[in-house]
Amino acid sequence: MDTLSSSQIATARLADWHLAGDTLLARFSSPDFATGAELVAGIAEAADAANHHPDIVLRYPSVIVTLTSHDAGGVTQRDVRMARTVSDLAERLGLTAAPASAELDAALESAAAEVGATAAWLAVEFRA
Ligand SMILES: C[C@H](O)[C@H](O)[C@H]1CNC2=NC(N)=NC(=O)C2=N1
């Protein structure tokens, strides 16, 4: 499956998600650790069903999810579909995503270039 351009990804209008390099990133706030773990469990089930697996960091009080297609070396429609699934699961659990902002996107982009997409949000938070 071919990788998508940044404009194709923008067209997908994934409100909860940020593009950093070749990866989609999202951070969902959770009221408690168990609810965050519920989101992780739901994502794991959906990922196995789709045979398309994100990286996930479960913290208190947030869940960080990153998506890229390893076999294609970038973001594909599989990642867009899984991103929508993850956002739906989070919404059902009442979890909200970090809002998109040019400033945050730039910070995530530079952090991802330095430490990789999965650690990027941690790097941004520890710097704050
Ligand atoms: C063998 C198995 O189908 C592949 O390794 C699948 C599993 N899950 C995957 N997940 C992701 N994110 N990218 C892949 O290329 C991928 N490939």
Side-chain angles (χ1 to χ4, degrees), residues 51-54 67-72 78-79:
N51 190 30
H52 194 69
H53 303 87
L67 272 164
T68 191
S69 294
H70 308 135
D71 54 4
R78 284 176 290 161
D79 299 296

Side-chain angles (χ1 to χ4, degrees), residues 27-65:
R27 178 185 183 278
F28 299 96
S29 301
S30 50
D32 51 46
F33 203 67
T35 306
E38 265 187 79
L39 176 59
V40 172
I43 295 171
E45 194 178 329
D48 279 343
N51 190 30
H52 194 69
H53 303 87
D55 289 353
I56 304 174
V57 175
L58 172 62
R59 304 178 74 209
Y60 176 79
S62 63
V63 179
I64 296 165
V65 187

Side-chain angles (χ1 to χ4, degrees), residues 16-17 26-28 39 42-44 46-47 52 54 56 63-67 79-93 95:
D16 298 341
W17 296 79
R27 178 185 183 278
F28 299 96
L39 176 59
I43 295 171
H52 194 69
I56 304 174
V63 179
I64 296 165
V65 187
T66 60
L67 272 164
D79 299 296
V80 170
R81 276 196 297 272
M82 185 53 65
R84 291 198 204 289
T85 300
V86 170
S87 289
D88 288 350
L89 288 167
E91 188 180 9
R92 259 184 257 153
L93 287 167
L95 305 187

Side-chain angles (χ1 to χ4, degrees), residues 91-112:
E91 188 180 9
R92 259 184 257 153
L93 287 167
L95 305 187
T96 52
S101 78
E103 191 187 351
L104 176 57
D105 284 4
L108 287 170
E109 182 89 41
S110 68

